[in-house]
Amino acid sequence: MKTPAAYELQTYIQVAIYEHNEALRKKRYAGEIDDVQFLKAAFPADAYSVIADGVQRCMDEHNET
């Protein structure tokens, strides 16, 4: 089995976060959840940069060895 590259994993995680938040937005606009429920369940807006920074740090440390 092929192991995915770190950046490939990063992309899949970011897409999953986007899809999760998009589903929450649709529920919010449909009135199925309120603002508090939306904010509790949504990923932070800066989640993409946090993940990218973590992947970069992992790659940097891996390449040092």
Side-chain angles (χ1 to χ4, degrees), residues 25-42:
R25 279 189 288 278
K26 288 179 181 178
K27 285 183 177 184
R28 177 62 192 110
Y29 293 134
E32 297 172 17
I33 60 174
D34 60 27
D35 288 336
V36 173
Q37 292 169 313
F38 174 82
L39 292 173
K40 284 183 179 179

Side-chain angles (χ1 to χ4, degrees), residues 6-7 9-11 13-14 17 43-59:
Y7 291 110
L9 289 172
Q10 174 184 326
T11 300
I13 292 168
Q14 290 173 331
I17 290 171
F43 276 86
D46 66 343
Y48 297 116
S49 61
V50 172
I51 292 168
D53 291 346
V55 168
Q56 186 61 55
R57 185 173 53 237
C58 176
M59 297 299 294

